[in-house]
Amino acid sequence: GQGVQGWKGRGEGAVSFINFERDSGVSLRAATNKPQYKPEWWERVQWNDLYGNQEDPTMSCFPFGVPRQGPPDRIAMLGPEEYIFMHTGGGSATGRYTKPRLIPMNKPHPPYEEWQGVSWLGIPSAHWEGDTLVIESGGFNDESWLGWTGYIHSWDMTVTERIRREGNTLHWEATVDDTMLLEPWTTDPIESRLNSDPEAFFFGDTPCDERDAEHIVDPNVRG
């Protein structure tokens, strides 16, 4: 397999983690590309946003899930009909982590009612459409989030990912279809650069060490 690296460190110019978290919250809430929920679900989404540090499953060592964990950092071909996607993870300091995924090619899905609500990562099957690898997944549980600001989903969710390589750049995006949404939602595309260093080391996922729960503060409690 070949490693695909999408992130470079900020270096000495990095902002503090506190400012980074605050700025990220503002930018995520101001984003124009958001999943649009049916009216009966907005109160729940807003509650999750307000109490995200307590409600977000990744804060309790649960996986990011799909599509939240994004594109793979390494793709290995196990055979002509099977791939494995691996991720570097989010780091145990935040209590978040990703999981590897086994992606079979051209494998029919079992009947919907048999695979509904099974997995954090869903049950995938992939096929080629020209030069694009299309991965269709279902059978998700309803515990993961689509995004940090409380974007939930139901057992009915299906995710279609599209991955295309152009030179040394990997293009990825995912479309979510769910009965909670007014219409299918497509993530912002993500581009990853191929790491061409033959001696590059892939660190893989890091174990999750839950260290934040006792420090979470309810902003509505006044001492």
Side-chain angles (χ1 to χ4, degrees):
Q2 292 178 314
V4 178
Q5 180 173 336
W7 289 88
K8 297 290 186 183
R10 289 174 176 259
E12 295 181 357
V15 296
S16 73
F17 177 77
I18 293 176
N19 287 335
F20 171 76
E21 186 176 27
R22 291 171 179 167
D23 292 345
S24 294
V26 172
S27 64
L28 287 169
R29 291 185 179 97
T32 57
N33 182 22
K34 303 175 182 178
Q36 298 299 309
Y37 287 85
K38 294 176 181 177
E40 59 265 32
W41 296 109
W42 266 116
E43 184 176 352
R44 168 78 180 277
V45 171
Q46 291 170 340
W47 170 272
N48 287 342
D49 184 13
L50 182 61
Y51 298 100
N53 284 348
Q54 296 166 303
E55 300 297 325
D56 191 338
T58 66
M59 293 296 181
S60 301
C61 280
F62 290 105
F64 270 114
V66 177
R68 190 178 180 184
Q69 67 183 26
D73 295 291
R74 181 170 182 143
I75 300 175
M77 190 172 184
L78 301 182
E81 295 296 320
E82 207 163 45
Y83 293 87
I84 186 168
F85 287 2
M86 293 171 282
H87 300 258
T88 56
S92 59
T94 59
R96 306 171 181 175
Y97 69 109
T98 56
K99 299 291 287 181
R101 299 169 66 200
L102 191 63
I103 310 293
M105 295 292 297
N106 304 306
K107 182 179 180 179
H109 284 129
Y112 181 79
E113 61 272 12
E114 293 183 11
W115 48 275
Q116 185 182 46
V118 171
S119 171
W120 285 88
L121 303 178
I123 299 177
S125 179
H127 64 274
W128 288 100
E129 293 182 1
D131 61 353
T132 300
L133 183 66
V134 180
I135 305 158
E136 298 175 330
S137 302
F140 296 95
N141 63 32
D142 62 351
E143 298 181 58
S144 65
W145 283 9
L146 303 179
W148 175 80
T149 42
Y151 298 140
I152 54 178
H153 64 84
S154 74
W155 285 3
D156 296 322
M157 180 179 75
T158 58
V159 179
T160 301
E161 300 165 85
R162 290 177 170 84
I163 299 178
R164 176 176 57 86
R165 180 174 176 177
E166 187 176 44
N168 286 336
T169 302
L170 196 72
H171 302 268
W172 175 92
E173 68 176 19
T175 298
V176 175
D177 197 356
D178 191 8
T179 53
M180 285 187 174
L181 301 179
L182 289 170
E183 59 186 10
W185 172 67
T186 299
T187 65
D188 290 329
I190 296 177
E191 295 182 353
S192 301
R193 297 187 303 276
L194 177 70
N195 186 347
S196 58
D197 181 359
E199 298 183 3
F201 181 77
F202 179 73
F203 288 92
D205 191 20
T206 53
C208 184
D209 180 14
E210 178 52 71
R211 295 175 290 178
D212 296 328
E214 62 183 277
H215 303 294
I216 292 176
V217 176
D218 186 340
N220 295 313
V221 175
R222 299 291 184 267

